Amino acid sequence: MRAVLCKAYGPPESLVVEELPDPVPGPGEAVVAVTAVGLNFFDNLIIKNMYQVKPELPFSPGSEFAGRIAALGEGVTGLKVGDRVLGNVPHGAARTHVVAKAKTLAPIPDGLSDEQAAGMIITYGTTIHALKDRAQLKPGETLAVLGAAGGVGLAAIELGKAMGARVIACASSDDKLAFCREHGADEVLNYATHDLKEGLRALTGGKGPDVIYDPVGDKLAEPALRAIAWEGRFLVIGFAGGEIPKIPLNLTLLKGCDIRGVFWGAFAQKEPEKNRQNLIQVAKWTAEGKLSLHVHGTYPLEKIAEALNVLTSRQARGKVILKP
């Protein structure tokens, strides 16, 4: 098989593609011939040794994948060779064949492409957990989404609308915001040309958003929090902007608001049944046409550096996919 390998920590350009022996499944495992791999911002962090997951070198980046069952280990039931499945692993998906525990794999629903399936688990799984479990978003509330044209941002727009919220999409260019409107945003705000705090207040009649979804951090977090509604919920998704912000805690006192962390990976491990129900809901809304699972672009294994740089430069509109 072919695999992308991180053999020394560094930038995406340091990754290599090499031939490795074909994997053999152990008891309870399946080998999946991978057709699509969903890339995420944290893949750039893990190859630089800047992420909480620190695999031993060498390793492959990539966590979520779709493909066909190629081989089954002893004791596996409910699956057969050739089945279309999706799954995720902590790392190691950026290769032509992946070994996974069979019980963690799920069938790909009819009408869903492999590329869409590979991009569903983490972005939409993270976001439905954030909005449903952490924020308890209610119909009629206002949701502001930072970095709204990216993978998780787009998921937040679509899931927020499916949950009955009024959605304000915030991004750094007018063309990104036009894309957000196409995917359901009710209002848009360009924070490259307008003050984020004042813009959010203006779009909410001075009240502020009830929920703020922030995958960017950096210089956007504090002004967004300063605009939040009384008893609002500020969701910490990630730090794609680079810096981890230091928030003055007096803001939580003055606003009577909550800052709530969202760590989907730990949630999926600690509460697997809740996570499974969330993903079932995502699949249902997708089948109903409420979610697009939009793919920004696809790249071969050999162009993984280009694909990862699309994420770090925040050019992605939707999901970035590798095609082994």
Side-chain angles (χ1 to χ4, degrees), residues 18-314:
E18 293 187 359
E19 290 284 342
L20 296 177
D22 289 340
V24 176
E29 294 181 336
V31 173
V32 178
V34 179
T35 55
V37 180
L39 295 179
N40 294 277
F41 186 81
F42 65 74
D43 287 312
N44 275 296
L45 300 179
I46 199 170
I47 64 174
K48 297 175 184 176
N49 199 26
M50 296 171 62
Y51 194 56
Q52 54 260 37
V53 175
K54 298 183 183 294
E56 292 184 10
L57 297 169
F59 66 90
S60 295
S63 179
E64 51 189 343
F65 60 89
R68 309 290 187 277
I69 298 290
L72 296 171
E74 182 182 350
V76 175
T77 59
L79 293 171
K80 65 182 185 300
V81 171
D83 282 353
R84 296 176 72 219
V85 293
L86 57 85
N88 74 288
V89 288
H91 57 84
R95 48 183 61 196
T96 58
H97 292 79
V98 169
V99 176
K101 293 180 180 179
K103 66 181 181 180
T104 67
L105 301 173
I108 297 175
D110 291 340
L112 206 63
S113 71
D114 288 7
E115 291 83 1
Q116 290 175 310
M120 181 183 87
I121 296 177
I122 293 177
T123 48
Y124 284 81
T126 294
T127 304
I128 193 171
H129 169 54
L131 299 181
K132 174 174 160 282
D133 304 319
R134 301 297 292 139
Q136 290 89 46
L137 181 66
K138 303 175 186 65
E141 289 191 316
T142 298
L143 166 68
V145 181
L146 309 187
V152 289
L154 178 61
I157 292 171
E158 295 185 341
L159 285 167
K161 291 301 295 179
M163 295 171 71
R166 173 176 177 253
V167 178
I168 302 172
C170 308
S172 60
S173 70
D174 290 340
D175 61 330
K176 287 182 178 180
L177 293 172
F179 174 78
C180 293
R181 278 200 183 276
E182 291 171 6
H183 287 268
D186 298 289
E187 304 285 351
V188 296
L189 176 60
N190 185 332
Y191 46 62
T193 58
H194 293 77
D195 182 272
L196 179 60
K197 179 184 74 172
E198 295 305 324
L200 288 174
R201 284 177 172 173
L203 289 171
T204 56
K207 175 182 181 241
D210 300 291
V211 176
I212 295 175
Y213 182 98
D214 181 15
V216 181
D218 207 346
K219 295 179 176 60
L220 296 181
E222 185 175 331
L225 183 62
R226 287 182 180 275
I228 203 167
W230 175 253
E231 294 189 340
R233 290 86 76 201
F234 185 98
L235 299 173
V236 180
I237 310 299
F239 312 102
E243 293 293 324
I244 298 175
K246 295 177 174 60
I247 299 295
L249 286 181
N250 66 310
L251 294 178
T252 62
L253 182 153
L254 295 171
K255 296 283 187 175
C257 66
D258 295 345
I259 298 174
R260 301 183 183 181
V262 179
F263 188 0
W264 174 80
F267 163 75
Q269 288 186 346
K270 294 176 183 294
E271 302 187 63
E273 181 55 29
K274 276 190 177 181
N275 180 59
R276 190 177 76 87
Q277 291 301 323
N278 283 351
L279 293 176
I280 288 172
Q281 181 64 72
V282 169
K284 178 176 182 290
W285 278 334
T286 301
E288 293 172 356
K290 295 179 179 179
L291 309 177
S292 70
L293 281 75
H294 181 80
V295 174
H296 171 86
T298 60
Y299 301 79
L301 288 184
E302 290 76 11
K303 292 193 175 181
I304 187 171
E306 181 181 339
L308 289 174
N309 283 328
V310 168
L311 292 171
T312 56
S313 62
R314 291 161 61 189

